[in-house]
Structure formats: structure tokens, C-alpha cells
């Protein structure tokens, strides 16, 4: 009986030898093993299916379809050597022309796959030159950032201007309050209308100057905070000092020259 192989492949029940050759008991046991193998095969449990097929083959070694089925299941597991062993055993049995043509195709395909697996794949990565390469000078270390707290002349100057603006704003604000005419100002009692107008204008000028002072204080404080906390501080690498000593003769004696760099 032939076996369906391919997508959705399932094992076909082989022709079990007659009861005169194997006996009714062995035939029944071989059929039971084969039915279990077909169940395992349908669930993808190929190892268990192989075990049951081998038990059936041991009971009926003349059933050629069992041999072919063992080759098919081993191929499913990518066991190329085992699959070839069973297919080559199948080729030694009494086959029809169609069966021989089919097993020949299986054997040729698996032998080609075995060559592909056994042959080493050439590496596309060029070999490394183990000889000594050219020496590369290391990069000179650049300045490394340290803490962000940077208190220098610029930061001090900006913070000083901010403080001066704050003092100016406070002083001029107080002066504006002092120069402003009282709300209960009565013309003829507290002074003339011209006095009222002059005091009002003076207080307005003082208030404007106070606002400018406060604006300078706020802008200076923000700028100083940026210069101190945000601006990175760069530390330049220190260079080692060197000292050079030289001597030169003179008509009246000699001179000794010492040069140093720090």
C-alpha cells in the first residue's frame, strides 16, 4: 500500500504479513503499534511515532511500507542519516517501478541535503592580519568638565550689578513714597496746586527709577544663577614645568643662565 507524503501527510497502514508467516498475535500487535504511531504522527509527536513504528517493524520486518514510513518520519525530524538508512533498506525490498522511482527521488534529495550540511560554509569576513600594525599616537586629552559652580569675575560682576539694582530700587521706592503727596492733600491747606503737581511728578519719576532698579536686579540675579550653576567649568590640563641651565664664556669671566617655565 502506498504512503501519502507532503503537506498534511499521514501514515498509511502497511500490508501486514499473513498469519501463516507471523501469526495472528504478531499481526494484531503490529497493527496496534501502527495505529498508535499514526496517532502520534498526526499530533506532531514524531519521536513517539518512530518508537511505535520500530515496534511494528520488529513484529513484521517484511512490511515494506513500515520501512518507508520510518524514513519519512526521520526526515521530518531532520535526521538525514537515519532517514537514508531506512530508505536504502526500502530499496533492497521487492518494489514496483513507481515505488522505486519515488524512493530514488527521496534518496537523491537527502544525499544532496547531507552534502550541504556537511560542507563548511566559507566565511565572508576577510582574515585578520596578525602582524604588527602601525602605531597610532593617542589623542591628546582635552579639558574635562568638572563642577558647574563657576565663580569668576563675570559672575561676580553680574551679581554685583544685580545687588546694586536691588538697592537702587528699594531707595527710589522709598523716596517715591516720601515725595508723593498725601491722599488727604487739600489745596490751600497743605499747599498750592503747583506744589501738589510737583510732588506728584517727582514721586512718579522716583517710581520709574525704582522699577528700573528692580528690573536690573531680577535680570542680574537670573544671569548670575546661570553663570554660576549652569555654565560648565573647564579645567585645562596642567603642563609640567621645565628648567634650562646654560653657561657662556665672557672676556672677564663667565655667565650662568637659568631659564624656567611653569
Amino acid at each position: 500500500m502506498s504512503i501519502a507524503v507532503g503537506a498534511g501527510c499521514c501514515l498509511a497502514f502497511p500490508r501486514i504479513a499473513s498469519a501463516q508467516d507471523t501469526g495472528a498475535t504478531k499481526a494484531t500487535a503490529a497493527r496496534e503499534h501502527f495505529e498508535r504511531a499514526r496517532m502520534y504522527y498526526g499530533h506532531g509527536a514524531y519521536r513517539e511515532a518512530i518508537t511505535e513504528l520500530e515496534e511494528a517493524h520488529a513484529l513484521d520486518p517484511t512490511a515494506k511500507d513500515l520501512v518507508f514510513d520510518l524514513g519519512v518520519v526521520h526526515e521530518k525530524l531532520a535526521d538525514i542519516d537515519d532517514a537514508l538508512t531506512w530508505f536504502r533498506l526500502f530499496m533492497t525490498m521487492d518494489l514496483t517501478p513507481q515505488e522505486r522511482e519515488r524512493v530514488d527521488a527521496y534518496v537523491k534529495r537527502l544525499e544532496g541535503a547531507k552534502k550541504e550540511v556537511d560542507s563548511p560554509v566559507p566565511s565572508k569576513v576577510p582574515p585578520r592580519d596578525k602582524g604588527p600594525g602601525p602605531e597610532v599616537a593617542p589623542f591628546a586629552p582635552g579639558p574635562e568638565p568638572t563642577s558647574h559652580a563657576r565663580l569668576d569675575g563675570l559672575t561676580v560682576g553680574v551679581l554685583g550689578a544685580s545687588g546694586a539694582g536691588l538697592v537702587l530700587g528699594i531707595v527710589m521706592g522709598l523716596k517715591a513714597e516720601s515725595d508723593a503727596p498725601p491722599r488727604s492733600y487739600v489745596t490751600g491747606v497743605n499747599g498750592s496746586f503747583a506744589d501738589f503737581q510737583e510732588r506728584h511728578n517727582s514721586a512718579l519719576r522716583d517710581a520709574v527709577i525704582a522699577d528700573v532698579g528692580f528690573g536690573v536686579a531680577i535680570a542680574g540675579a537670573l544671569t548670575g544663577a546661570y553663570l554660576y550653576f549652569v555654565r560648565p567649568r573647564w579645567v585645562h590640563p596642567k603642563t609640567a614645568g621645565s628648567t634650562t641651565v646654560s653657561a657662556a664664556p665672557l672676556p672677564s669671566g663667565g655667565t650662568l643662565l637659568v631659564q624656567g617655565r611653569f
Side-chain angles (χ1 to χ4, degrees):
M1 181 178 292
S2 61
I3 301 174
V5 180
C9 168
C10 62
L11 301 179
F13 184 74
R15 176 183 56 81
I16 304 299
S18 62
Q20 292 80 4
D21 298 330
T22 61
T25 304
K26 287 186 178 182
T28 302
R31 179 182 295 273
E32 291 175 356
H33 283 296
F34 178 80
E35 291 297 335
R36 285 195 290 268
R38 185 166 58 178
M39 179 192 66
Y40 285 131
Y41 185 88
H43 289 83
Y46 298 142
R47 296 291 182 190
E48 291 79 0
I50 288 175
T51 300
E52 297 296 334
L53 287 174
E54 288 176 347
E55 293 289 341
H57 174 68
L59 294 170
D60 188 4
T62 62
K64 59 183 180 181
D65 290 339
L66 284 174
V67 177
F68 191 87
D69 288 344
L70 281 164
V72 170
V73 182
H74 274 291
E75 184 189 7
K76 290 287 185 181
L77 291 172
D79 298 334
I80 298 178
D81 291 332
D82 293 334
L84 283 172
T85 299
W86 288 106
F87 284 135
R88 286 166 180 163
L89 176 60
F90 182 77
M91 295 175 68
T92 64
M93 306 178 82
D94 185 18
L95 305 179
T96 64
Q98 292 80 7
E99 291 172 337
R100 187 167 299 278
E101 181 180 358
R102 175 180 294 182
V103 74
D104 285 342
Y106 269 82
V107 171
K108 289 179 181 179
R109 177 164 51 82
L110 289 175
E111 287 177 346
K114 181 176 174 58
K115 291 179 181 179
E116 290 291 331
V117 173
D118 294 341
S119 60
V121 179
S123 176
K124 296 182 179 180
V125 180
R128 289 185 58 187
D129 184 8
K130 297 183 180 180
E135 296 184 357
V136 180
F139 291 104
E144 296 181 356
T146 56
S147 64
H148 289 284
R150 184 174 181 180
L151 187 62
D152 55 3
L154 180 60
T155 306
V156 173
V158 171
L159 292 178
S162 175
L166 179 61
V167 172
L168 177 64
I170 293 174
V171 171
M172 297 307 294
L174 294 175
K175 187 173 183 301
E177 288 288 335
S178 175
D179 291 345
R183 295 184 179 181
S184 59
Y185 187 90
V186 177
T187 303
V189 177
N190 301 103
S192 64
F193 179 76
D195 294 336
F196 174 83
Q197 192 69 27
E198 183 180 356
R199 294 185 62 180
H200 175 76
N201 292 337
S202 177
L204 183 61
R205 288 192 300 270
D206 295 340
V208 171
I209 297 173
D211 290 340
V212 172
F214 287 130
V216 171
I218 294 173
L222 294 176
T223 305
Y226 169 80
L227 294 176
Y228 184 79
F229 293 107
V230 179
R231 185 180 50 158
R233 179 181 180 184
W234 297 94
V235 178
H236 296 278
K238 295 181 179 180
T239 57
S242 62
T243 304
T244 303
V245 180
S246 60
L250 293 176
S252 60
T255 182
L256 180 65
L257 180 63
V258 180
Q259 295 179 340
R261 185 178 62 184
F262 304 95

mmCIF file with all atom_site columns, all heavy atoms in Angstrom, residues 222-239:
data_model
loop_
_atom_site.group_PDB
_atom_site.id
_atom_site.type_symbol
_atom_site.label_atom_id
_atom_site.label_alt_id
_atom_site.label_comp_id
_atom_site.label_asym_id
_atom_site.label_entity_id
_atom_site.label_seq_id
_atom_site.pdbx_PDB_ins_code
_atom_site.Cartn_x
_atom_site.Cartn_y
_atom_site.Cartn_z
_atom_site.occupancy
_atom_site.B_iso_or_equiv
_atom_site.pdbx_formal_charge
_atom_site.auth_seq_id
_atom_site.auth_comp_id
_atom_site.auth_asym_id
_atom_site.auth_atom_id
_atom_site.pdbx_PDB_model_num
ATOM 1   N N   . LEU A 1 222 ? 19.082 86.343 37.652 1.00 0.00 ? 222 LEU A N   1
ATOM 2   C CA  . LEU A 1 222 ? 18.906 85.198 36.754 1.00 0.00 ? 222 LEU A CA  1
ATOM 3   C C   . LEU A 1 222 ? 20.182 84.914 35.971 1.00 0.00 ? 222 LEU A C   1
ATOM 4   O O   . LEU A 1 222 ? 20.589 83.763 35.813 1.00 0.00 ? 222 LEU A O   1
ATOM 5   C CB  . LEU A 1 222 ? 17.739 85.466 35.799 1.00 0.00 ? 222 LEU A CB  1
ATOM 6   C CG  . LEU A 1 222 ? 16.354 85.561 36.447 1.00 0.00 ? 222 LEU A CG  1
ATOM 7   C CD1 . LEU A 1 222 ? 15.302 85.918 35.404 1.00 0.00 ? 222 LEU A CD1 1
ATOM 8   C CD2 . LEU A 1 222 ? 15.988 84.252 37.144 1.00 0.00 ? 222 LEU A CD2 1
ATOM 9   N N   . THR A 1 223 ? 20.812 85.966 35.454 1.00 0.00 ? 223 THR A N   1
ATOM 10  C CA  . THR A 1 223 ? 22.052 85.774 34.700 1.00 0.00 ? 223 THR A CA  1
ATOM 11  C C   . THR A 1 223 ? 23.156 85.222 35.585 1.00 0.00 ? 223 THR A C   1
ATOM 12  O O   . THR A 1 223 ? 23.921 84.328 35.195 1.00 0.00 ? 223 THR A O   1
ATOM 13  C CB  . THR A 1 223 ? 22.489 87.102 34.068 1.00 0.00 ? 223 THR A CB  1
ATOM 14  O OG1 . THR A 1 223 ? 21.429 87.633 33.275 1.00 0.00 ? 223 THR A OG1 1
ATOM 15  C CG2 . THR A 1 223 ? 23.722 86.899 33.197 1.00 0.00 ? 223 THR A CG2 1
ATOM 16  N N   . GLY A 1 224 ? 23.257 85.744 36.803 1.00 0.00 ? 224 GLY A N   1
ATOM 17  C CA  . GLY A 1 224 ? 24.275 85.240 37.724 1.00 0.00 ? 224 GLY A CA  1
ATOM 18  C C   . GLY A 1 224 ? 24.047 83.786 38.088 1.00 0.00 ? 224 GLY A C   1
ATOM 19  O O   . GLY A 1 224 ? 25.007 83.004 38.194 1.00 0.00 ? 224 GLY A O   1
ATOM 20  N N   . ALA A 1 225 ? 22.789 83.392 38.268 1.00 0.00 ? 225 ALA A N   1
ATOM 21  C CA  . ALA A 1 225 ? 22.497 81.990 38.567 1.00 0.00 ? 225 ALA A CA  1
ATOM 22  C C   . ALA A 1 225 ? 22.899 81.090 37.409 1.00 0.00 ? 225 ALA A C   1
ATOM 23  O O   . ALA A 1 225 ? 23.432 79.990 37.604 1.00 0.00 ? 225 ALA A O   1
ATOM 24  C CB  . ALA A 1 225 ? 21.017 81.830 38.883 1.00 0.00 ? 225 ALA A CB  1
ATOM 25  N N   . TYR A 1 226 ? 22.647 81.545 36.178 1.00 0.00 ? 226 TYR A N   1
ATOM 26  C CA  . TYR A 1 226 ? 23.048 80.759 35.014 1.00 0.00 ? 226 TYR A CA  1
ATOM 27  C C   . TYR A 1 226 ? 24.570 80.630 34.947 1.00 0.00 ? 226 TYR A C   1
ATOM 28  O O   . TYR A 1 226 ? 25.107 79.538 34.726 1.00 0.00 ? 226 TYR A O   1
ATOM 29  C CB  . TYR A 1 226 ? 22.521 81.413 33.742 1.00 0.00 ? 226 TYR A CB  1
ATOM 30  C CG  . TYR A 1 226 ? 23.113 80.806 32.489 1.00 0.00 ? 226 TYR A CG  1
ATOM 31  C CD1 . TYR A 1 226 ? 22.629 79.607 31.974 1.00 0.00 ? 226 TYR A CD1 1
ATOM 32  C CD2 . TYR A 1 226 ? 24.181 81.415 31.836 1.00 0.00 ? 226 TYR A CD2 1
ATOM 33  C CE1 . TYR A 1 226 ? 23.179 79.033 30.844 1.00 0.00 ? 226 TYR A CE1 1
ATOM 34  C CE2 . TYR A 1 226 ? 24.746 80.860 30.711 1.00 0.00 ? 226 TYR A CE2 1
ATOM 35  C CZ  . TYR A 1 226 ? 24.226 79.664 30.218 1.00 0.00 ? 226 TYR A CZ  1
ATOM 36  O OH  . TYR A 1 226 ? 24.796 79.103 29.097 1.00 0.00 ? 226 TYR A OH  1
ATOM 37  N N   . LEU A 1 227 ? 25.256 81.766 35.146 1.00 0.00 ? 227 LEU A N   1
ATOM 38  C CA  . LEU A 1 227 ? 26.711 81.729 35.063 1.00 0.00 ? 227 LEU A CA  1
ATOM 39  C C   . LEU A 1 227 ? 27.331 80.852 36.148 1.00 0.00 ? 227 LEU A C   1
ATOM 40  O O   . LEU A 1 227 ? 28.367 80.220 35.936 1.00 0.00 ? 227 LEU A O   1
ATOM 41  C CB  . LEU A 1 227 ? 27.270 83.156 35.161 1.00 0.00 ? 227 LEU A CB  1
ATOM 42  C CG  . LEU A 1 227 ? 26.924 84.104 34.005 1.00 0.00 ? 227 LEU A CG  1
ATOM 43  C CD1 . LEU A 1 227 ? 27.453 85.501 34.290 1.00 0.00 ? 227 LEU A CD1 1
ATOM 44  C CD2 . LEU A 1 227 ? 27.486 83.577 32.699 1.00 0.00 ? 227 LEU A CD2 1
ATOM 45  N N   . TYR A 1 228 ? 26.682 80.773 37.292 1.00 0.00 ? 228 TYR A N   1
ATOM 46  C CA  . TYR A 1 228 ? 27.269 80.021 38.400 1.00 0.00 ? 228 TYR A CA  1
ATOM 47  C C   . TYR A 1 228 ? 26.897 78.540 38.362 1.00 0.00 ? 228 TYR A C   1
ATOM 48  O O   . TYR A 1 228 ? 27.743 77.667 38.528 1.00 0.00 ? 228 TYR A O   1
ATOM 49  C CB  . TYR A 1 228 ? 26.823 80.636 39.719 1.00 0.00 ? 228 TYR A CB  1
ATOM 50  C CG  . TYR A 1 228 ? 27.452 79.972 40.926 1.00 0.00 ? 228 TYR A CG  1
ATOM 51  C CD1 . TYR A 1 228 ? 28.753 80.278 41.309 1.00 0.00 ? 228 TYR A CD1 1
ATOM 52  C CD2 . TYR A 1 228 ? 26.738 79.038 41.674 1.00 0.00 ? 228 TYR A CD2 1
ATOM 53  C CE1 . TYR A 1 228 ? 29.335 79.662 42.409 1.00 0.00 ? 228 TYR A CE1 1
ATOM 54  C CE2 . TYR A 1 228 ? 27.316 78.417 42.779 1.00 0.00 ? 228 TYR A CE2 1
ATOM 55  C CZ  . TYR A 1 228 ? 28.608 78.732 43.142 1.00 0.00 ? 228 TYR A CZ  1
ATOM 56  O OH  . TYR A 1 228 ? 29.179 78.121 44.218 1.00 0.00 ? 228 TYR A OH  1
ATOM 57  N N   . PHE A 1 229 ? 25.616 78.227 38.107 1.00 0.00 ? 229 PHE A N   1
ATOM 58  C CA  . PHE A 1 229 ? 25.143 76.849 38.223 1.00 0.00 ? 229 PHE A CA  1
ATOM 59  C C   . PHE A 1 229 ? 25.140 76.086 36.894 1.00 0.00 ? 229 PHE A C   1
ATOM 60  O O   . PHE A 1 229 ? 25.359 74.878 36.875 1.00 0.00 ? 229 PHE A O   1
ATOM 61  C CB  . PHE A 1 229 ? 23.727 76.834 38.808 1.00 0.00 ? 229 PHE A CB  1
ATOM 62  C CG  . PHE A 1 229 ? 23.669 77.290 40.232 1.00 0.00 ? 229 PHE A CG  1
ATOM 63  C CD1 . PHE A 1 229 ? 23.139 78.526 40.538 1.00 0.00 ? 229 PHE A CD1 1
ATOM 64  C CD2 . PHE A 1 229 ? 24.144 76.495 41.258 1.00 0.00 ? 229 PHE A CD2 1
ATOM 65  C CE1 . PHE A 1 229 ? 23.068 78.952 41.859 1.00 0.00 ? 229 PHE A CE1 1
ATOM 66  C CE2 . PHE A 1 229 ? 24.087 76.923 42.578 1.00 0.00 ? 229 PHE A CE2 1
ATOM 67  C CZ  . PHE A 1 229 ? 23.550 78.162 42.887 1.00 0.00 ? 229 PHE A CZ  1
ATOM 68  N N   . VAL A 1 230 ? 24.875 76.772 35.787 1.00 0.00 ? 230 VAL A N   1
ATOM 69  C CA  . VAL A 1 230 ? 24.679 76.074 34.517 1.00 0.00 ? 230 VAL A CA  1
ATOM 70  C C   . VAL A 1 230 ? 25.936 76.055 33.679 1.00 0.00 ? 230 VAL A C   1
ATOM 71  O O   . VAL A 1 230 ? 26.304 75.023 33.109 1.00 0.00 ? 230 VAL A O   1
ATOM 72  C CB  . VAL A 1 230 ? 23.522 76.720 33.715 1.00 0.00 ? 230 VAL A CB  1
ATOM 73  C CG1 . VAL A 1 230 ? 23.331 76.007 32.382 1.00 0.00 ? 230 VAL A CG1 1
ATOM 74  C CG2 . VAL A 1 230 ? 22.241 76.691 34.547 1.00 0.00 ? 230 VAL A CG2 1
ATOM 75  N N   . ARG A 1 231 ? 26.630 77.159 33.591 1.00 0.00 ? 231 ARG A N   1
ATOM 76  C CA  . ARG A 1 231 ? 27.816 77.227 32.738 1.00 0.00 ? 231 ARG A CA  1
ATOM 77  C C   . ARG A 1 231 ? 28.885 76.266 33.249 1.00 0.00 ? 231 ARG A C   1
ATOM 78  O O   . ARG A 1 231 ? 29.275 76.323 34.419 1.00 0.00 ? 231 ARG A O   1
ATOM 79  C CB  . ARG A 1 231 ? 28.363 78.661 32.708 1.00 0.00 ? 231 ARG A CB  1
ATOM 80  C CG  . ARG A 1 231 ? 29.528 78.848 31.751 1.00 0.00 ? 231 ARG A CG  1
ATOM 81  C CD  . ARG A 1 231 ? 30.013 80.278 31.758 1.00 0.00 ? 231 ARG A CD  1
ATOM 82  N NE  . ARG A 1 231 ? 30.243 80.796 33.098 1.00 0.00 ? 231 ARG A NE  1
ATOM 83  C CZ  . ARG A 1 231 ? 31.048 81.823 33.362 1.00 0.00 ? 231 ARG A CZ  1
ATOM 84  N NH1 . ARG A 1 231 ? 31.680 82.424 32.372 1.00 0.00 ? 231 ARG A NH1 1
ATOM 85  N NH2 . ARG A 1 231 ? 31.193 82.248 34.590 1.00 0.00 ? 231 ARG A NH2 1
ATOM 86  N N   . PRO A 1 232 ? 29.387 75.324 32.412 1.00 0.00 ? 232 PRO A N   1
ATOM 87  C CA  . PRO A 1 232 ? 30.395 74.358 32.885 1.00 0.00 ? 232 PRO A CA  1
ATOM 88  C C   . PRO A 1 232 ? 31.728 75.023 33.128 1.00 0.00 ? 232 PRO A C   1
ATOM 89  O O   . PRO A 1 232 ? 32.075 76.018 32.503 1.00 0.00 ? 232 PRO A O   1
ATOM 90  C CB  . PRO A 1 232 ? 30.474 73.344 31.741 1.00 0.00 ? 232 PRO A CB  1
ATOM 91  C CG  . PRO A 1 232 ? 30.074 74.116 30.535 1.00 0.00 ? 232 PRO A CG  1
ATOM 92  C CD  . PRO A 1 232 ? 29.035 75.098 31.003 1.00 0.00 ? 232 PRO A CD  1
ATOM 93  N N   . ARG A 1 233 ? 32.414 74.436 34.033 1.00 0.00 ? 233 ARG A N   1
ATOM 94  C CA  . ARG A 1 233 ? 33.746 74.929 34.364 1.00 0.00 ? 233 ARG A CA  1
ATOM 95  C C   . ARG A 1 233 ? 34.772 74.002 33.741 1.00 0.00 ? 233 ARG A C   1
ATOM 96  O O   . ARG A 1 233 ? 34.779 72.797 34.003 1.00 0.00 ? 233 ARG A O   1
ATOM 97  C CB  . ARG A 1 233 ? 33.933 74.963 35.884 1.00 0.00 ? 233 ARG A CB  1
ATOM 98  C CG  . ARG A 1 233 ? 35.313 75.450 36.315 1.00 0.00 ? 233 ARG A CG  1
ATOM 99  C CD  . ARG A 1 233 ? 35.425 75.426 37.822 1.00 0.00 ? 233 ARG A CD  1
ATOM 100 N NE  . ARG A 1 233 ? 36.733 75.881 38.268 1.00 0.00 ? 233 ARG A NE  1
ATOM 101 C CZ  . ARG A 1 233 ? 37.127 75.894 39.538 1.00 0.00 ? 233 ARG A CZ  1
ATOM 102 N NH1 . ARG A 1 233 ? 36.299 75.469 40.475 1.00 0.00 ? 233 ARG A NH1 1
ATOM 103 N NH2 . ARG A 1 233 ? 38.330 76.318 39.862 1.00 0.00 ? 233 ARG A NH2 1
ATOM 104 N N   . TRP A 1 234 ? 35.610 74.517 32.914 1.00 0.00 ? 234 TRP A N   1
ATOM 105 C CA  . TRP A 1 234 ? 36.609 73.713 32.207 1.00 0.00 ? 234 TRP A CA  1
ATOM 106 C C   . TRP A 1 234 ? 37.966 73.866 32.895 1.00 0.00 ? 234 TRP A C   1
ATOM 107 O O   . TRP A 1 234 ? 38.430 74.968 33.163 1.00 0.00 ? 234 TRP A O   1
ATOM 108 C CB  . TRP A 1 234 ? 36.740 74.157 30.749 1.00 0.00 ? 234 TRP A CB  1
ATOM 109 C CG  . TRP A 1 234 ? 35.474 73.954 29.999 1.00 0.00 ? 234 TRP A CG  1
ATOM 110 C CD1 . TRP A 1 234 ? 34.471 74.849 29.786 1.00 0.00 ? 234 TRP A CD1 1
ATOM 111 C CD2 . TRP A 1 234 ? 35.048 72.760 29.371 1.00 0.00 ? 234 TRP A CD2 1
ATOM 112 N NE1 . TRP A 1 234 ? 33.460 74.296 29.078 1.00 0.00 ? 234 TRP A NE1 1
ATOM 113 C CE2 . TRP A 1 234 ? 33.783 73.000 28.796 1.00 0.00 ? 234 TRP A CE2 1
ATOM 114 C CE3 . TRP A 1 234 ? 35.620 71.482 29.246 1.00 0.00 ? 234 TRP A CE3 1
ATOM 115 C CZ2 . TRP A 1 234 ? 33.092 72.032 28.109 1.00 0.00 ? 234 TRP A CZ2 1
ATOM 116 C CZ3 . TRP A 1 234 ? 34.920 70.510 28.540 1.00 0.00 ? 234 TRP A CZ3 1
ATOM 117 C CH2 . TRP A 1 234 ? 33.681 70.791 27.998 1.00 0.00 ? 234 TRP A CH2 1
ATOM 118 N N   . VAL A 1 235 ? 38.547 72.710 33.145 1.00 0.00 ? 235 VAL A N   1
ATOM 119 C CA  . VAL A 1 235 ? 39.865 72.684 33.773 1.00 0.00 ? 235 VAL A CA  1
ATOM 120 C C   . VAL A 1 235 ? 40.878 72.299 32.721 1.00 0.00 ? 235 VAL A C   1
ATOM 121 O O   . VAL A 1 235 ? 40.822 71.210 32.153 1.00 0.00 ? 235 VAL A O   1
ATOM 122 C CB  . VAL A 1 235 ? 39.892 71.668 34.938 1.00 0.00 ? 235 VAL A CB  1
ATOM 123 C CG1 . VAL A 1 235 ? 41.278 71.614 35.555 1.00 0.00 ? 235 VAL A CG1 1
ATOM 124 C CG2 . VAL A 1 235 ? 38.847 72.044 35.982 1.00 0.00 ? 235 VAL A CG2 1
ATOM 125 N N   . HIS A 1 236 ? 41.758 73.153 32.409 1.00 0.00 ? 236 HIS A N   1
ATOM 126 C CA  . HIS A 1 236 ? 42.759 72.880 31.387 1.00 0.00 ? 236 HIS A CA  1
ATOM 127 C C   . HIS A 1 236 ? 43.866 72.009 31.973 1.00 0.00 ? 236 HIS A C   1
ATOM 128 O O   . HIS A 1 236 ? 44.257 72.169 33.134 1.00 0.00 ? 236 HIS A O   1
ATOM 129 C CB  . HIS A 1 236 ? 43.344 74.189 30.857 1.00 0.00 ? 236 HIS A CB  1
ATOM 130 C CG  . HIS A 1 236 ? 42.325 75.033 30.161 1.00 0.00 ? 236 HIS A CG  1
ATOM 131 N ND1 . HIS A 1 236 ? 41.962 74.833 28.859 1.00 0.00 ? 236 HIS A ND1 1
ATOM 132 C CD2 . HIS A 1 236 ? 41.572 76.073 30.621 1.00 0.00 ? 236 HIS A CD2 1
ATOM 133 C CE1 . HIS A 1 236 ? 41.046 75.720 28.516 1.00 0.00 ? 236 HIS A CE1 1
ATOM 134 N NE2 . HIS A 1 236 ? 40.786 76.478 29.567 1.00 0.00 ? 236 HIS A NE2 1
ATOM 135 N N   . PRO A 1 237 ? 44.354 71.062 31.205 1.00 0.00 ? 237 PRO A N   1
ATOM 136 C CA  . PRO A 1 237 ? 45.402 70.174 31.730 1.00 0.00 ? 237 PRO A CA  1
ATOM 137 C C   . PRO A 1 237 ? 46.658 70.942 32.094 1.00 0.00 ? 237 PRO A C   1
ATOM 138 O O   . PRO A 1 237 ? 47.067 71.870 31.395 1.00 0.00 ? 237 PRO A O   1
ATOM 139 C CB  . PRO A 1 237 ? 45.646 69.202 30.563 1.00 0.00 ? 237 PRO A CB  1
ATOM 140 C CG  . PRO A 1 237 ? 45.200 69.935 29.344 1.00 0.00 ? 237 PRO A CG  1
ATOM 141 C CD  . PRO A 1 237 ? 44.040 70.787 29.796 1.00 0.00 ? 237 PRO A CD  1
ATOM 142 N N   . LYS A 1 238 ? 47.215 70.518 33.207 1.00 0.00 ? 238 LYS A N   1
ATOM 143 C CA  . LYS A 1 238 ? 48.426 71.181 33.666 1.00 0.00 ? 238 LYS A CA  1
ATOM 144 C C   . LYS A 1 238 ? 49.626 70.675 32.885 1.00 0.00 ? 238 LYS A C   1
ATOM 145 O O   . LYS A 1 238 ? 49.712 69.504 32.552 1.00 0.00 ? 238 LYS A O   1
ATOM 146 C CB  . LYS A 1 238 ? 48.636 70.909 35.146 1.00 0.00 ? 238 LYS A CB  1
ATOM 147 C CG  . LYS A 1 238 ? 47.541 71.504 36.025 1.00 0.00 ? 238 LYS A CG  1
ATOM 148 C CD  . LYS A 1 238 ? 47.824 71.220 37.480 1.00 0.00 ? 238 LYS A CD  1
ATOM 149 C CE  . LYS A 1 238 ? 46.739 71.828 38.360 1.00 0.00 ? 238 LYS A CE  1
ATOM 150 N NZ  . LYS A 1 238 ? 46.996 71.565 39.796 1.00 0.00 ? 238 LYS A NZ  1
ATOM 151 N N   . THR A 1 239 ? 50.526 71.576 32.580 1.00 0.00 ? 239 THR A N   1
ATOM 152 C CA  . THR A 1 239 ? 51.749 71.205 31.875 1.00 0.00 ? 239 THR A CA  1
ATOM 153 C C   . THR A 1 239 ? 52.905 71.221 32.862 1.00 0.00 ? 239 THR A C   1
ATOM 154 O O   . THR A 1 239 ? 52.994 72.081 33.743 1.00 0.00 ? 239 THR A O   1
ATOM 155 C CB  . THR A 1 239 ? 52.032 72.182 30.724 1.00 0.00 ? 239 THR A CB  1
ATOM 156 O OG1 . THR A 1 239 ? 52.120 73.513 31.248 1.00 0.00 ? 239 THR A OG1 1
ATOM 157 C CG2 . THR A 1 239 ? 50.919 72.125 29.690 1.00 0.00 ? 239 THR A CG2 1
#
